[in-house]
Amino acid sequence: MSRLSLYPTLLFLFIVSMSFGQKATTSSNAHSDWTQPCEPFRIAGNLYYVGTYDLACYLVTTSQGNILINTGLAESASMIRSNIEALGFKFSDVKILLNTQAHYDHVAAMAAIKKQTGAKMMIHEGDAQVLADGGKSDFALKGKENYFAPVKADRLLHDGDTIRLGETTLVALHHPGHTKGSTSFLLTVKDENRSWKVLIANMPTILPQTRIMGMPAYPKVGEDYKYTLDAMKKLQFDLWVASHASQFDLHDKRKPGDAYNPAVFNDRAEYDAQLDTLTQAYLNRLKTEK
């Protein structure tokens, strides 16, 4: 059996285990790969990976300063800084902070990094309140273990909005469901040989706590998931990465010390297979809730 034919089954098992892991416990001890160090590296052009082993954080460099997307857990703030500096960039040059989803595993270090750099925080309006109250108003994840230091956004984003810094422009794509303001980003980066259109995807996984038929704090969650799954299938890009390294098989595609090779992230078949599996998970959830 081919690797691709096995992929939907393996991905489903990963999604289930990851989701139930969040339900059972949210401590970093339960997800050691969330705080495990990872070698920072150049993905393509002026886009770099600066996250932990599984919590993906991205640095976009420009002539007018840099953009940091996601921060991981609170205890990872110093690691993110070290990764940025190991690549030869100044931490103080981070001018804009972005986020793919306002869950503690992607924003808990945001307050500290914002304070240290003075960067402007930009987030989709759907996640702005959750960010501002440190996770207390999240529609699905409840409990102190899911809280984080609150951050007030300097700019609220909407679907299709552009974020410009220097010669780089990112387009914010609203992909709600996992959170109300879940966001993917499209940008074009350039290296010495060519340009690459890159998708930083927030894959629409479904938490066990989420009721697709609707929840008091999020009545349209099912409709939003359907919209997101349909919208993401229509996107066009050259390379793609995601909010978790495990979602795009980072550690199979790249080993520590590997030479610069953007082409390893040119894997449309994997992206489509993941969306097919997530669509089936959505349909299965609908059946169980009826």
Side-chain angles (χ1 to χ4, degrees), residues 23-149:
K23 181 179 182 181
T25 176
T26 55
S27 70
S28 58
N29 290 332
H31 299 278
S32 60
D33 55 352
W34 284 7
T35 54
Q36 181 179 339
C38 179
E39 178 186 59
F41 65 94
R42 186 187 187 194
I43 297 172
N46 55 312
L47 175 66
Y48 299 82
Y49 188 93
V50 294
T52 68
Y53 192 84
D54 187 57
L55 297 182
C57 305
Y58 301 99
L59 186 73
V60 182
T61 62
T62 84
S63 60
Q64 299 300 313
N66 304 327
I67 300 169
L68 178 63
I69 304 173
N70 294 344
T71 63
L73 299 175
E75 55 263 48
S76 297
S78 60
M79 188 187 305
I80 302 303
R81 177 173 185 160
S82 295
N83 285 346
I84 290 173
E85 292 175 343
L87 291 168
F89 303 109
K90 293 181 179 179
F91 189 60
S92 58
D93 282 343
V94 174
K95 303 301 182 185
I96 294 174
L97 297 171
L98 298 175
N99 175 247
T100 57
Q101 51 171 284
H103 281 158
Y104 76 102
D105 51 329
H106 302 283
V107 300
M110 201 69 79
I113 292 178
K114 188 179 194 303
K115 182 177 181 180
Q116 293 166 12
T117 63
K120 292 185 177 180
M121 179 73 226
M122 303 180 186
I123 196 166
H124 189 276
E125 63 174 351
D127 275 353
Q129 181 57 49
V130 175
L131 184 72
D133 61 32
K136 294 180 180 178
S137 63
D138 190 279
F139 74 92
L141 296 183
K142 304 298 182 181
K144 292 183 179 179
E145 67 274 15
N146 300 303
Y147 297 164
F148 50 87

Side-chain angles (χ1 to χ4, degrees), residues 202-266:
N202 192 70
M203 302 304 282
T205 56
I206 305 173
L207 293 172
Q209 301 94 319
T210 300
R211 285 191 54 80
I212 293 298
M213 298 298 289
M215 303 173 70
Y218 196 175
K220 297 177 60 179
V221 60
E223 295 175 38
D224 279 355
Y225 265 113
K226 184 179 186 304
Y227 163 80
T228 293
L229 288 163
D230 291 341
M232 292 188 76
K233 290 174 184 176
K234 298 173 184 176
L235 296 176
Q236 299 298 316
F237 50 84
D238 300 312
L239 315 175
W240 78 285
V241 292
S243 299
H244 286 264
S246 48
Q247 291 176 327
F248 63 103
D249 281 348
L250 169 59
H251 303 296
D252 288 335
K253 293 173 178 175
R254 185 190 185 278
K255 304 299 182 184
D258 279 357
Y260 173 67
N261 184 13
V264 299
F265 302 106
N266 181 359

